[in-house]
Amino acid sequence: MPRFGLSPAGPPIDHAEVFGRRAPLVLEIGFGMGDATARLAGRHPEIDFLGVEVHTPGVGALLKRIEADGLTNLRVMEGDVNTVLDQRITPESLAGVHIFFPDPWPKKRHHKRRLVNEQFLTKIFGMLTRPGYLHCATDWPDYADQIALALRDSPFGTAVTPSGLSPAIESAYGSMIRDRPETKFERRGVALGHPINDWIGQRS
């Protein structure tokens, strides 16, 4: 991989070595082709971003975009996010986690394959700094309900919208949370008439 690509397995990431500085680190899980990820990194050079994706074409596309746009604050991993969280991320090291329009697995018999559940959120919570946040977005109403319930039953507690952040989260990351770029899957959902739901879990 080019120097902007990292292995999903191995020892914990040395942030200063990888990025050449110390800055808040945001993990994006499942970035697709990476357009929205690159735009957010370009808008917020004060934040470091790490994107994880299982599909090779998306990883390749984002790596090309990083070099084309000169984004020094974005790194990419190809692989399963659970491997990344278990091996590469240390507790209380992430300022934020983004999960934008994850696979909805719309058929009821496939709902168990959905990424966001109480167990996964509990793992995420332990990786966050104080203050730290989780930002989920989906255009599937039943998945939005599932995410809100999973947040409620996890250490995060009650889910809030981007307009209802705690003072600590608002001060540190509020403007970036509300600056979420539109994704390809979001545009598709809007075209189909699906409502867009953004839920924030907070560790203040």
Side-chain angles (χ1 to χ4, degrees):
M1 273 188 175
R3 64 190 180 96
F4 296 109
L6 304 175
S7 171
I13 292 172
D14 184 323
H15 191 131
E17 179 180 339
V18 169
F19 289 94
R21 66 175 185 175
R22 289 288 183 187
L25 178 63
V26 171
L27 172 69
E28 179 165 355
I29 301 170
F31 55 75
M33 298 303 287
D35 179 64
T37 310
R39 281 185 284 153
L40 193 61
R43 293 175 189 174
H44 295 277
E46 75 282 5
I47 304 291
D48 288 335
F49 295 86
L50 174 63
V52 180
E53 175 60 57
V54 296
H55 297 294
T56 301
V59 172
L62 184 52
L63 286 170
K64 290 179 181 178
R65 179 72 178 268
I66 290 171
E67 296 198 272
D69 292 357
L71 299 173
T72 61
N73 63 328
L74 176 56
R75 301 291 185 272
V76 178
M77 288 180 173
E78 180 181 357
D80 181 79
V81 68
N82 286 295
T83 300
V84 176
L85 292 174
D86 291 341
Q87 297 189 25
R88 303 287 266 155
I89 305 297
T90 55
E92 300 186 351
S93 64
L94 298 175
V97 174
H98 295 167
I99 307 176
F100 297 152
F101 302 91
D103 193 329
W105 294 104
K107 294 181 179 180
K108 190 171 183 179
R109 68 178 182 271
H110 293 156
H111 283 186
K112 62 185 178 182
R113 300 182 184 179
R114 288 175 168 175
L115 175 67
V116 183
N117 56 45
E118 181 185 348
Q119 181 181 9
F120 186 71
L121 294 180
T122 298
K123 179 185 288 189
I124 291 293
F125 187 85
M127 300 296 176
L128 294 176
T129 59
R130 294 181 185 271
Y133 70 94
L134 168 76
H135 186 174
C136 294
T138 181
D139 62 312
W140 288 82
D142 70 310
Y143 202 178
D145 292 343
Q146 178 183 326
I147 291 169
L149 289 173
L151 282 166
R152 184 199 67 185
D153 294 337
S154 78
F156 282 104
T158 304
V160 301
T161 65
S163 62
L165 303 175
S166 70
I169 303 294
E170 174 64 43
S171 176
Y173 308 114
S175 62
M176 185 178 67
I177 289 171
R178 287 186 292 275
D179 194 29
R180 178 180 67 74
E182 186 181 55
T183 75
K184 178 184 72 173
F185 294 105
E186 181 175 8
R187 289 191 293 272
R188 183 182 300 170
V190 169
L192 292 171
H194 295 177
I196 305 302
N197 290 274
D198 285 78
W199 287 125
I200 312 298
Q202 304 179 97
R203 186 178 191 186
S204 299

